[in-house]
Amino acid sequence: MVSRVERGALAEWFWTIDRVFLALFILLIGIGFMLSFAASPAVAERIGLEPFHFVKRHALFLVPAIAAMIGISFMTPRQVRRTAVILLIVSLAMMLFALFFGIEVKGSRRWVNIAALSIQPSEFMKPAFVVVCAWLFSEHARQPEIPGNLFAIILFGIVVALLVAQPDLGQTILTTAVWGGMFFMAGMPWLWIIVLGGLGAGGFVTAYYVFDHVAQRVNKFLTGEGDTFQVDTAKEAIVHGTWFGVGPGEGTVKRIIPDAHTDFIFSVAAEEFGAIFCMVLVLIFAFLVLRGLSHAYKEKNDFNRFAVAGLVLQIGIQSIINIGVNLQLLPAKGMTLPLISYGGSSMTAICVTAGFILALTRHRPEKRAQDRTMFRVTHGLPAE
């Protein structure tokens, strides 16, 4: 245990970090590693690999991911902004590179090979995009003459254009929802809400008619016709698990789910550990999001408020999409369950997101006092 009287960097970090957030992130990472033993061996055997191939890789991915989360949590808000700007520039450049030279998987170009590693740049773009947009929104709120909102809109257009070009409709919807939520918190005028809402609806209709795979998934979801093997098998696994599950390693339906270790790991959890376990998992995600929004509501610094809210919304909405697909409440879409699903890019990027949250929610008494004074002066109140 680190003593309160110590003044080293580690002691200061330990006593200023939001330990509830830290515990939630570590808990979800632990659950994900546990579920990798349940979900991945069958997938590995089906494609001719040794049973624990993905388990070992999952464990390997956790080392840099957790290191990134802890390392970033030591940063100040200014360092978070600078890191996010660099990460955003690099990830956007890699996304552009992927369109021309990336790996094509199922008709999409989302991956880049670097030193024998396959990296999905859009995963790292998401937390950086949220932080940079939070900075732009906060600068406009602080000084209305700074066109921060306009720059955020332009940046949003660039990001969406790259995602649609891949194409990746799921990430586009996720990014749009998070960005819209942040813009709303930043005081988006009702006219903008109507205009952007109309553009969003128009974009979805356009995607339906332009991209065949989008139309097929929507039609399958609405009519139940066509190849619905994955979602039907996932539903069968959930039903087979009933309330308490069939037991660790005893699942049978999971063996024929194509993406059991990634997109449909929630169904594997339901089969082996039961519906009650899945409800607890949902409550963990819900508590994480609500705690983040509560912290944002109390935060006096605009940048911290927008960034924390946007980052927890990103985790929450991505979880909703993944779980909704598993429960057949949403059309099928390949999206991982944060900190749970297998995947090096996804795991590391979500840990970067967690690191940003931990850094921005650290208790800094001196900085809080300065923010409180600035807030009172800005709103014409006498300084304390």
Side-chain angles (χ1 to χ4, degrees):
M1 180 62 69
V2 180
S3 171
R4 284 181 180 270
V5 299
E6 293 182 25
R7 303 304 297 174
L10 181 60
E12 182 181 358
W13 173 85
F14 182 80
W15 292 112
T16 58
I17 202 77
D18 188 317
R19 290 185 291 279
V20 174
F21 265 135
L22 181 61
L24 289 173
F25 292 135
I26 295 298
L27 175 61
L28 288 172
I29 289 172
I31 292 174
F33 186 56
M34 176 190 72
L35 290 177
S36 70
F37 282 91
S40 62
V43 178
E45 290 178 341
R46 191 163 58 241
I47 60 177
L49 300 173
E50 61 99 5
F52 293 103
H53 172 80
F54 292 114
V55 175
K56 294 175 182 177
R57 288 180 62 85
H58 191 115
L60 187 63
F61 293 147
L62 287 181
V63 176
I66 295 176
M69 179 179 71
I70 299 300
I72 291 173
S73 70
F74 278 85
M75 293 182 178
T76 64
R78 176 176 294 184
Q79 291 171 330
V80 167
R81 287 196 297 269
R82 292 175 177 176
T83 301
V85 170
I86 296 172
L87 182 59
L88 182 63
I89 292 172
V90 173
S91 59
L92 289 178
M94 291 178 66
M95 288 173 67
L96 184 61
F97 179 85
L99 293 179
F100 299 97
F101 307 104
I103 306 168
E104 183 173 343
V105 179
K106 299 179 181 179
S108 297
R109 290 187 178 272
R110 307 172 188 173
W111 300 86
V112 175
N113 265 344
I114 298 179
L117 292 176
S118 294
I119 298 175
Q120 188 175 358
S122 60
E123 291 287 352
F124 296 93
M125 174 276 299
K126 292 186 296 184
F129 173 73
V130 168
V131 172
V132 172
C133 283
W135 177 44
L136 294 172
F137 288 141
S138 65
E139 287 299 300
H140 181 82
R142 186 173 64 88
Q143 300 183 60
E145 64 273 14
I146 297 178
N149 288 1
L150 176 61
F151 290 152
I153 293 172
I154 294 173
L155 180 58
F156 170 71
I158 293 172
V159 167
V160 167
L162 288 173
L163 288 173
V164 171
Q166 289 184 344
D168 193 339
L169 184 61
Q171 298 284 23
T172 303
I173 293 174
L174 172 60
T175 302
T176 301
V178 174
W179 181 85
M182 293 174 63
F183 200 175
F184 180 80
M185 286 184 285
M188 180 197 300
W190 280 104
L191 177 61
W192 274 107
I193 295 176
I194 296 172
V195 170
L196 293 176
L199 289 175
F204 182 79
V205 173
T206 302
Y208 178 84
Y209 287 103
V210 171
F211 299 111
D212 291 337
H213 71 283
V214 174
Q216 291 172 5
R217 289 178 178 180
V218 172
N219 291 338
K220 290 175 186 177
F221 175 73
L222 294 177
T223 65
E225 299 176 355
D227 182 10
T228 59
F229 176 75
Q230 284 200 100
V231 292
D232 289 342
T233 307
K235 181 180 178 181
E236 183 182 348
I238 294 172
V239 172
H240 185 226
T242 64
W243 288 105
F244 300 101
V246 297
E250 299 299 321
T252 55
V253 181
K254 69 174 185 181
R255 299 181 179 279
I256 57 174
I257 301 177
D259 298 313
H261 60 321
T262 54
D263 303 343
F264 292 95
I265 197 167
F266 185 83
S267 297
V268 175
E271 182 180 22
E272 298 208 343
F273 298 95
I276 292 179
F277 175 85
C278 289
M279 291 178 187
V280 172
L281 188 59
V282 170
L283 287 176
I284 293 173
F285 279 111
F287 179 71
L288 190 155
V289 174
L290 291 175
R291 183 173 180 82
L293 293 177
S294 175
H295 180 93
Y297 178 77
K298 299 173 184 176
E299 180 63 61
K300 296 295 189 294
N301 183 285
D302 285 331
F303 166 68
N304 286 9
R305 178 165 65 251
F306 299 150
V308 171
L311 291 168
V312 296
L313 280 177
Q314 177 189 304
I315 293 176
I317 295 174
Q318 183 169 333
S319 303
I320 290 172
I321 293 174
N322 177 277
I323 295 172
V325 169
N326 278 257
L327 297 176
Q328 290 190 337
L329 298 177
L330 293 172
K333 178 65 196 82
M335 189 168 291
T336 58
L337 187 59
L339 299 176
I340 302 294
S341 297
Y342 167 85
S345 293
S346 174
M347 177 66 67
T348 305
I350 292 294
C351 281
V352 169
T353 304
F356 284 156
I357 293 172
L358 291 171
L360 295 172
T361 55
R362 284 180 62 184
H363 179 66
R364 296 180 174 88
E366 299 83 1
K367 186 65 172 65
R368 306 284 176 175
Q370 293 174 8
D371 292 340
R372 189 162 52 247
T373 301
M374 181 61 70
F375 176 82
R376 296 181 67 84
V377 171
T378 304
H379 291 77
L381 300 173
E384 295 178 335

